[in-house]
Every structure is written in C-alpha cells, then in structure tokens.
Amino acid sequence: MSETNSCTVDVATLYIVPTPIGNLADITQRALDVLANVDLIAAEDTRHTSRLLTHFSISTRTFALHDHNEQQKADYLIEKLQAGTSIALVSDAGTPLISDPGYHLVNRCRQAGVKVVPLPGPCAVVTALSGAGLPSDRFSFEGFLPPKSKGRRDRFQALANDERTMIFYESPHRIMDSLADMLVVLGPERQVVLARELTKTYETIHGAPLGELVDWLGEDSNRTRGEMVLLVAGHRAEKEELPADALRTVTLLVKELPLKKASALAAEIHGVKKNALYKWGLANLD
C-alpha cells in the first residue's frame, strides 16, 4: 500500500537525491523538498547544481564532492553528519553512484552507522531500458566502456555469451570506435539500441542489427551527439535441431519406459543430447 507523507528532513542523515537527466520537470516534489530543507548539498559540480537550485529558488549551501576529492572529504562529511547535519548528495544528472561519485561516502556512512536515505528518481539506465524494446527481465549495467580499443574488445569478448541485456554508457567522440570494436567481437546481427539525449528536445531511441546501426549513425553526424546509452541484446544460443529419427525412437520407447530412460536410450542410439530429447518429450509427449 502506498503512503502519502509530507516530506520532513531528519538530522544526521545523508539523502541520495536523483536530479533530472535533461527535462527539469522530471524532478520529484520530494527531491525538491529535501534539497530545500537539508543543511548542506554535496554536489559533483557546484556550478552545475547551482543552476538547478536557482531554477527552483532553492538557496541551500553546496559543497563540492567529486571523483578527485571524495575519499579525502568523506571523513569531514561523516563528522558533520554525526554532529547532526543533514546532507543531500547529488550528481550532475540522474541518480548518484550510477557511474557518478558517491560510493565511497555512502560506504563509509554505512560503516559508521550514519543513516542513509535513497530517493527514487531519474536514471538514464532505467529510462533507456524501459523504451528499448529489449528483454528487461534480466539485464546488466556495465557503465562506461574502456577508452582504448583493446580494453573494449576484451570487455565485449568477456560478455559475448551473456544472455542478459547489457547496458553501457558512451561518449559522442568514442561512439563510432566503440561500435566498430563491438562489431568485430559480436558480429553485425546482434541487436543494439542507441538511446541519446533522453528526456531532451532531440531524444532518439533507435534500434537495429549492429551492422545496420553503424551505417545509420554514419549517415548523419547529428546522430552521434549528446549523452548516450547503448543497450545490447543478450546472447541467444541457437536451438539444437533434433533428428526426426531420434524423435520417433523416443516416442516409441516412452510407450514402454519412463521418459527419462527413453530419452537416454534414444540419445545413445542417435548420438544426440539426452537432455534435449527429455525436454522435447516433456513438451510434446503425454
């Protein structure tokens, strides 16, 4: 059952606050309330965050917390939290910690027994996945691809047989090189969806077999601009075609034997996998 509560900010608490990935209207009322009422906002880029705060007439003081100073500043922020200060953690866009700063601070807060409250909200990974048309029951988020070709090919090779939908972030100036490496490892028929400029004016979600997607991007340089999410269909093993003779044999044997035994004997006779015959029998024989 859902609850409707007025937003109150607790002392000595770190709030994880997602911010819009493009469209400012996507920010939640709860996020605005937290940002307006905490004592301090730890921001990946205070200049970027100040524009967001100004837009919503929020005057809370900000503090810079980014990849280069997070580990050094974590103790300082934990001391403030333990003294009763309430702090909101934000990144430049989306949900903090998702390929953005915040892991070290949240980890240290947990170790120190400081209360951490995560808010739901915008995230490019989930936004792209929900509109991609690829299987979403199982997926893996792989973050940014390595900057060098060898690193990218090694990553794709390690994931080539993964059956989950795979999600990557990529930058405009590397997108074509990354897709070229993906093409070498995964081949032209693997289904890939490019989601760019999500929630913004020129939002594009385009899916195609990898070879066709590379050609499509090459037709117009505008298609390689903006923030990008790549979604790659998982590996699908080709179904083994069972010989008709093996199917006839197991059909006859199962009249006298349990299916498991009949499948094993038929598999030995015809040189096929007994598990494949057994599964076929479960689906097709009474």
Side-chain angles (χ1 to χ4, degrees):
M1 182 180 294
S2 61
E3 298 181 358
T4 302
N5 295 325
S6 58
C7 180
T8 58
V9 171
D10 295 331
V11 299
T13 300
L14 176 69
Y15 291 89
I16 313 302
V17 182
T19 56
I21 59 176
N23 193 323
L24 292 179
D26 290 337
I27 198 166
T28 67
Q29 185 60 53
R30 186 182 177 200
L32 291 173
D33 290 343
V34 169
L35 293 175
N37 290 288
V38 291
D39 299 311
L40 182 66
I41 298 173
E44 182 180 6
D45 185 330
T46 56
R47 294 166 299 179
H48 183 93
T49 298
S50 68
R51 292 192 287 272
L52 175 72
L53 299 179
T54 299
H55 179 84
F56 290 106
S57 301
I58 295 173
S59 58
T60 306
R61 185 166 61 92
T62 60
F63 176 90
L65 188 77
H66 44 72
D67 285 330
H68 303 294
N69 74 350
E70 183 183 352
Q71 296 194 54
Q72 291 74 28
K73 298 298 182 181
D75 287 341
Y76 167 76
L77 291 175
I78 288 173
E79 288 177 6
K80 294 188 73 66
L81 286 159
Q82 291 175 327
T85 301
S86 57
I87 299 176
L89 174 67
V90 301
S91 59
D92 288 348
T95 301
L97 283 79
I98 309 301
S99 285
D100 278 330
Y103 162 72
H104 296 289
L105 176 60
V106 172
N107 180 260
R108 296 286 298 281
C109 283
R110 290 294 186 192
Q111 292 177 359
V114 172
K115 184 178 180 181
V116 178
V117 176
L119 275 62
C123 177
V125 174
V126 176
T127 303
L129 180 63
S130 65
L134 295 178
S136 56
D137 54 334
R138 297 176 65 237
F139 64 93
S140 65
F141 174 55
E142 300 294 330
F144 282 97
L145 286 163
K148 303 291 186 179
S149 178
K150 184 182 184 305
R152 288 193 295 266
R153 292 190 184 192
D154 288 346
R155 177 76 64 83
F156 293 141
Q157 192 64 56
L159 296 169
N161 294 320
D162 196 321
E163 296 180 353
R164 299 171 294 177
T165 296
M166 294 165 279
I167 306 173
F168 304 89
Y169 284 162
E170 191 50 286
S171 61
H173 70 277
R174 285 206 302 255
I175 185 65
M176 296 303 289
D177 290 339
S178 289
L179 289 175
D181 289 327
M182 188 185 295
L183 192 62
V184 170
V185 178
L186 301 184
E189 299 304 318
R190 184 72 70 101
Q191 190 73 14
V192 178
V193 176
L194 173 70
R196 57 176 290 271
E197 293 292 85
L198 290 172
T199 79
K200 300 176 185 177
T201 302
Y202 297 105
E203 174 181 281
T204 303
I205 301 176
H206 184 82
L210 180 53
E212 295 179 19
L213 180 65
V214 170
D215 292 340
W216 180 80
L217 285 172
E219 292 170 0
D220 185 348
S221 62
N222 289 320
R223 294 172 180 169
T224 59
R225 295 180 178 176
E227 301 294 328
M228 297 187 175
V229 184
L230 280 173
L231 303 100
V232 181
H235 173 70
R236 293 290 178 267
E238 294 184 5
K239 292 184 177 180
E240 180 181 2
E241 290 293 332
L242 294 170
D245 287 348
L247 300 182
R248 284 195 293 270
T249 300
V250 78
T251 301
L252 291 171
L253 289 174
V254 81
K255 295 178 181 179
E256 304 294 335
L257 299 169
L259 176 59
K260 190 172 183 179
K261 181 65 174 177
S263 300
L265 286 174
E268 186 174 350
I269 293 169
H270 296 283
V272 298
K273 294 180 179 178
K274 62 181 180 182
N275 286 342
L277 279 176
Y278 180 69
K279 289 180 180 179
W280 180 87
L282 288 175
N284 296 278
L285 301 175
D286 294 332

